[in-house]
Amino acid sequence: MLFNFDMIQKVYSRMPERVAAARKQLGRPLTLAEKIIYTHLIDGAENKQYVRGSDFAEFHPDRVAMQDATAQMALLQFTTAGKSKVAVPSSVHCDHLIIAKEGVGTDLPKALIDNAEVYAFLESVSAKYGIDCWKPGAGIIHQVVLENYAFPGGMMIGTDSHTVNAGGLGMLAIGVGGADAVDAMVGLPWELKYPKMIGVKLTGKLQGFATAKDIILKLAGILTVKGGTNAIIEYFGEGARSLSATGKATIANMGAEVGATCSTFSYDDSMSRYLKVTGRADVAAAADKIAEHLKADPEVEANPEKYFDRVVEIDLSTLVPHYNGPFSPDRAFAITDMAQSIKATDAKPESKDEVSAALIGSCTNSSYEDLFMAASMIKQALAKGLGPKCPLIINPGSEQVRYTAERDGLIDIFKQFGAVIMTNACGPCIGRWDRLGAEKKELNTIVHSFNRNFAKRADGNPNTHAFVASPLMAVIAALSGKLTFNPATDTLVNNEGKAVKLDPPEQCELPPKGFDVKESGYQAPAADGSSITVSIDPNSKRLQALAPFAPWNGEDITATPILIKAKGKCTTDHISMAGPWLNYRGHLENISGNMLIGAVNAFNGETNKVLCQCGEYKEVPELAKTYKQKGLGSIVIGDENYGEGSSREHAAMEPRFLGVKAVIVKSFARIHETNLKKQGMLALTFSNPADYEKVQEQDTFDILGLKEFAPGKPFTLVIHHKDGSTDKAELSHTYNDQQWAWFKAGSALNLIKQNNK
């Protein structure tokens, strides 16, 4: 389907001039990312050089995408901004709320009933304000975006950290919070810290059982979960050109797991092929005309160290399959090292070697290419007399992918194997897996083709050890039932008692007969939405109209108690869990009941148990509410890379709603820091990370210097201990004048409304 071609033509028409000007401005050849950045800077902002990782820049993105869990809050904010229509092409995708349990035939109809109120809200808001809406069952947001909206050289933002998936078609696609999306949708510039540049040179060609997924799994082990923070990862080299567009998208998708702003690839033949087969030959033809501007300059590829802040090289010819996990997507192990991996976690390694379930899907790996490879391996296994050792679950990426796969016989192969076909939706990847027996919290191992493997994420069981792998290795795990099985060297015993060896599967980049679909699930907005009414039941448990947050009172913060000192990994899953809590993503008061309930209290090693100033232990949300009602507010202390993971702004809005005045940490993940700023919060870091250790249980805090704010000027933290002694610490921040205006107004949305008036 061809959407917004006039917008794409406008981008392409200004790109040559902007690229030439940027090359002159910088006095050197350009990376692809720099070409896209300078093309999308607001008018006038292109006439300067930016310091990577330090300066802030303002952009006009080409489009906005939202999934149903985050779209609720984003659109609740947008409806208060006083606009009659979105200023840029925007879309909503209903993919996160559907629970995976018995299969699409049962699960989808149930979701339509259970989530009817939310779906009606999203469909009516979309129709009213000119937003494309993709109904439940249409597919996973990022696969649908890749098939319909992504285009080489474009810039988009999305209210999901895996918006970066569109980098597979040569975009800069960036995950943001809902307030950032509102900026773009009302026509305001969108702000981003000018990113550093990481170049990844891919040489050789994939061999044997290695897939594109294994490239990013290996890179995650190299960079770690915060190694890409405030950086764009740009892939280049002969190895990059050997990959399919959907393979590139898989790699770009998991750039979120190393904290990258986004990832991208230069325009090539694989992207052209994908555009043409998905009904966008006009886009491919337009891209061909300016192809030189849709790729890095030749000098960059020839001497990458001169143009990137860091260069990593991966030889695809020697790459082997990986399993990353458990509990962190950067815990990378080659298949040959899996015995070492499971022994290193803790007791009973033999229990972890046994795979209890294998899952294929998610926005990372649910394309036609992925399903074909998995089906090819199953077809081979069945012919050799092999069957599954554990359940196999499959979530196709879109209705177009599912319909085409069914037409081509792939779905029948899965069913012959006993696989369960779930709805074209996120399902287990976002914690919407109603898994039989998960409530028993038994130790078990699963293998999935998703992107994240934090504790409790898939099935709610803290003892489920999840390993991230390719769809191919997920099938192989189902066949062998073991994490340590290496298909390149090991054999399996078939139903005749014979030892058989697996061969690498057939490959199929794109469906030979092209894509087809009977009902895509797309709903176009109304031509004139002025007569459409969007109503919210005041008694609803799922949706709640937003009340503006209070502006800053102009004073320093004094005598404010600690709420929690979080220890170790504290992701957005720990701050605002998904799973069943997704039901309240449109109701700030109700969802705030999950605030920080997964964070580990540094003082007792427990979750959701913190000590009140009164001497009693309380649950975190309960204590925050108590301090708020007393007019005290509270302060959260955190560790490294605080807020890693999802773009969910609820992890910032909930503390704001419950009276948290500041979040002070060793370091932030990019999106979460921005989300806190957007909601009028103080997002601060210890200038000396060791000062984290000064914080004691039942402390109260003063934050001094707010009235003398200046960009780059630190604040002072005074720590009052229960024994009457005090400590001091310097607090750094990254606020600029614009962001400080958000703080003073109470939120970025408050400032938008003030300016509109």
Side-chain angles (χ1 to χ4, degrees):
M1 206 177 297
L2 185 60
F3 290 93
N4 311 116
F5 186 53
D6 56 339
M7 175 269 287
I8 296 171
Q9 289 176 307
K10 288 178 182 177
V11 174
Y12 285 175
S13 67
R14 73 170 178 267
M15 198 165 195
E17 181 180 351
R18 281 289 186 104
V19 168
R23 197 178 284 119
K24 184 177 180 181
Q25 176 71 236
L26 300 179
R28 59 171 173 77
L30 303 177
T31 66
L32 169 63
E34 288 172 322
K35 293 179 179 182
I36 301 174
I37 283 172
Y38 271 83
T39 297
H40 290 85
L41 286 165
I42 64 172
D43 289 343
E46 77 277 15
N47 299 317
K48 65 171 287 188
Q49 295 188 27
Y50 295 85
V51 178
R52 293 178 180 178
S54 177
D55 289 346
F56 284 89
E58 292 186 312
F59 301 90
H60 283 305
D62 301 315
R63 66 176 314 110
V64 174
M66 298 163 279
Q67 39 91 339
D68 51 356
T70 54
Q72 295 172 62
M73 197 59 70
L75 293 176
L76 283 167
Q77 292 175 84
F78 176 80
T79 57
T80 69
K83 298 293 182 179
S84 61
K85 190 174 182 180
V86 290
V88 297
S90 303
S91 58
V92 166
H93 305 260
C94 297
D95 63 351
H96 272 55
L97 301 181
I98 302 167
I99 293 175
K101 185 177 182 180
E102 298 178 24
V104 58
T106 301
D107 297 345
L108 182 56
K110 186 175 187 302
L112 293 174
I113 296 171
D114 292 347
N115 304 311
E117 179 184 14
V118 173
Y119 293 149
F121 168 74
L122 294 174
E123 289 179 18
S124 62
V125 171
S126 297
K128 181 176 182 65
Y129 293 106
I131 301 169
D132 292 349
C133 186
W134 295 79
K135 296 181 178 182
I140 303 170
I141 174 173
H142 310 304
Q143 180 65 30
V144 174
V145 165
L146 197 72
E147 293 174 2
N148 295 280
Y149 298 124
F151 66 97
M155 175 183 278
M156 68 175 287
I157 59 176
T159 60
D160 188 286
S161 56
H162 292 106
T163 299
V164 294
N165 189 80
L169 272 180
M171 293 194 87
L172 294 189
I174 302 168
V176 299
D180 275 355
V182 172
D183 281 351
M185 289 191 291
V186 300
L188 291 175
W190 167 68
E191 184 185 68
L192 177 73
K193 181 179 286 187
Y194 196 92
K196 294 181 179 180
M197 303 286 167
I198 297 175
V200 178
K201 182 178 182 179
L202 302 180
T203 62
K205 192 172 183 179
L206 293 168
Q207 307 291 326
F209 294 90
T211 71
K213 182 65 165 280
D214 298 300
I215 299 171
I216 186 59
L217 294 180
K218 181 176 179 63
L219 185 65
I222 296 170
L223 294 181
T224 77
V225 291
K226 64 176 186 175
T229 303
N230 291 321
I232 291 175
I233 301 176
E234 184 170 325
Y235 295 83
F236 61 94
E238 62 186 65
R241 290 184 284 275
S242 72
L243 301 171
S244 67
T246 47
K248 291 178 172 73
T250 291
I251 294 168
N253 179 287
M254 275 195 68
E257 275 52 71
V258 297
T261 300
C262 62
S263 304
T264 195
F265 290 79
S266 289
Y267 179 64
D268 61 15
D269 289 343
S270 70
M271 295 184 193
S272 177
R273 291 192 296 271
Y274 188 77
L275 287 168
K276 290 172 182 175
V277 80
T278 52
R280 294 173 288 170
D282 288 347
V283 177
D288 289 340
K289 292 177 182 177
I290 62 161
E292 65 180 293
H293 304 304
L294 299 174
K295 58 186 68 174
D297 286 337
E299 297 90 338
V300 173
E301 185 164 329
N303 297 287
E305 290 80 7
K306 292 176 62 176
Y307 306 101
F308 293 104
D309 298 288
R310 179 179 180 181
V311 176
V312 177
E313 185 169 338
I314 298 175
D315 181 2
L316 305 191
S317 300
T318 61
L319 189 66
V320 298
H322 277 59
Y323 284 125
N324 283 29
F327 307 136
S328 191
D330 62 346
R331 194 172 182 277
F333 285 89
I335 183 64
T336 50
D337 297 327
M338 283 310 297
Q340 172 192 347
S341 167
I342 60 175
K343 284 179 182 177
T345 49
D346 50 44
K348 300 182 180 177
E350 66 282 355
S351 300
K352 294 171 203 157
D353 188 21
E354 184 177 342
V355 178
S356 64
L359 304 97
I360 295 172
S362 90
C363 56
T364 322
N365 283 106
S366 55
S367 65
Y368 182 90
E369 179 182 31
D370 292 323
L371 296 189
F372 184 94
M373 191 183 304
S376 171
M377 179 53 64
I378 289 173
K379 184 177 180 181
Q380 176 194 149
L382 292 173
K384 291 183 176 182
L386 298 170
K389 296 287 198 309
C390 69
L392 177 65
I393 295 170
I394 296 172
N395 286 75
S398 70
E399 177 58 14
Q400 179 169 264
V401 165
R402 188 213 62 80
Y403 188 91
T404 304
E406 184 174 52
R407 179 201 67 190
D408 294 349
L410 307 186
I411 301 298
D412 283 343
I413 293 172
F414 291 136
K415 289 180 177 178
Q416 288 175 40
F417 194 65
V420 178
I421 309 299
M422 297 292 184
T423 313
N424 314 317
C426 302
C429 182
I430 193 60
R432 303 293 275 180
W433 183 18
D434 188 356
R435 187 184 186 190
L436 184 65
E439 72 283 354
K440 298 176 184 176
K441 298 184 179 180
E442 295 174 340
L443 176 67
N444 75 105
T445 292
I446 64 173
V447 172
H448 60 55
S449 71
F450 310 159
N451 37 50
R452 292 191 177 137
N453 54 1
F454 304 141
K456 302 183 183 180
R457 185 172 175 93
D459 62 2
N461 177 3
N463 297 313
T464 293
H465 287 220
F467 288 82
V468 183
S470 67
L472 177 59
M473 290 306 294
V475 169
I476 288 170
L479 286 166
S480 66
K482 300 288 183 182
L483 273 179
T484 51
F485 177 82
N486 184 352
T489 57
D490 300 341
T491 58
L492 295 170
V493 177
N494 69 6
N495 53 19
E496 297 177 355
K498 297 179 180 178
V500 296
K501 197 167 181 295
L502 298 172
D503 302 313
E506 295 179 53
Q507 306 283 331
C508 186
E509 175 186 346
L510 297 165
K513 297 187 231 176
F515 282 108
D516 197 5
V517 66
K518 187 175 182 181
E519 174 51 60
S520 68
Y522 170 69
Q523 175 181 289
D528 179 3
S530 58
S531 62
I532 297 175
T533 300
V534 178
S535 62
I536 299 174
D537 183 346
N539 297 315
S540 172
K541 295 181 180 179
R542 301 285 300 270
L543 296 165
Q544 181 185 50
L546 291 174
F549 293 129
W552 178 44
N553 64 7
E555 299 296 327
D556 286 339
I557 292 172
T558 57
T560 303
I562 184 173
L563 177 62
I564 185 173
K565 180 181 178 180
K567 179 182 179 181
K569 188 183 283 285
C570 191
T571 71
T572 50
D573 274 29
H574 296 86
I575 304 168
S576 175
M577 289 185 177
W581 290 96
L582 284 173
N583 289 336
Y584 306 110
R585 284 287 182 87
H587 198 293
L588 183 54
E589 183 176 1
N590 283 350
I591 198 170
S592 293
N594 77 359
M595 187 191 74
L596 285 161
I597 63 176
V600 176
N601 183 352
F603 300 118
N604 59 16
E606 298 187 53
T607 58
N608 205 22
K609 185 179 180 181
V610 287
L611 188 59
C612 175
Q613 296 289 318
C614 66
E616 297 178 5
Y617 280 99
K618 296 179 181 288
E619 294 183 345
V620 182
E622 178 191 3
L623 182 56
K625 190 179 297 184
T626 297
Y627 287 153
K628 179 184 177 182
Q629 290 170 346
K630 291 182 177 181
L632 298 173
S634 58
I635 288 177
V636 169
I637 305 295
D639 213 322
E640 296 280 5
N641 206 34
Y642 184 88
E644 168 195 343
S646 169
S647 69
R648 68 191 68 158
E649 65 183 338
H650 301 77
M653 295 185 79
E654 292 172 34
R656 183 75 166 100
F657 179 76
L658 289 180
V660 175
K661 295 182 177 181
V663 179
I664 306 171
V665 302
K666 292 182 182 179
S667 64
F668 281 108
R670 175 190 64 86
I671 300 177
H672 187 61
E673 181 182 19
T674 301
N675 285 346
L676 289 168
K677 291 178 178 180
K678 286 280 186 177
Q679 300 304 331
M681 294 273 288
L682 286 173
L684 309 172
T685 57
F686 292 106
S687 299
N688 178 5
D691 286 341
Y692 168 90
E693 303 299 337
K694 293 179 178 178
V695 176
Q696 300 175 18
E697 205 165 22
Q698 293 185 294
D699 281 348
T700 59
F701 305 97
D702 304 334
I703 301 177
L704 309 179
L706 302 184
K707 291 187 284 187
E708 292 78 39
F709 165 82
K713 182 180 179 181
F715 302 129
T716 298
L717 178 70
V718 181
I719 309 170
H720 300 275
H721 303 306
K722 189 172 179 61
D723 64 5
S725 63
T726 62
D727 272 309
K728 287 188 177 182
E730 183 181 274
L731 300 178
S732 300
H733 65 84
T734 59
Y735 287 84
N736 57 26
D737 288 327
Q738 171 68 27
Q739 294 168 347
W740 195 247
W742 302 340
F743 172 71
K744 291 193 292 185
S747 71
L749 185 59
N750 285 357
L751 190 62
I752 288 174
K753 289 188 279 191
Q754 288 176 19
N755 292 338
N756 281 343
K757 290 179 182 177

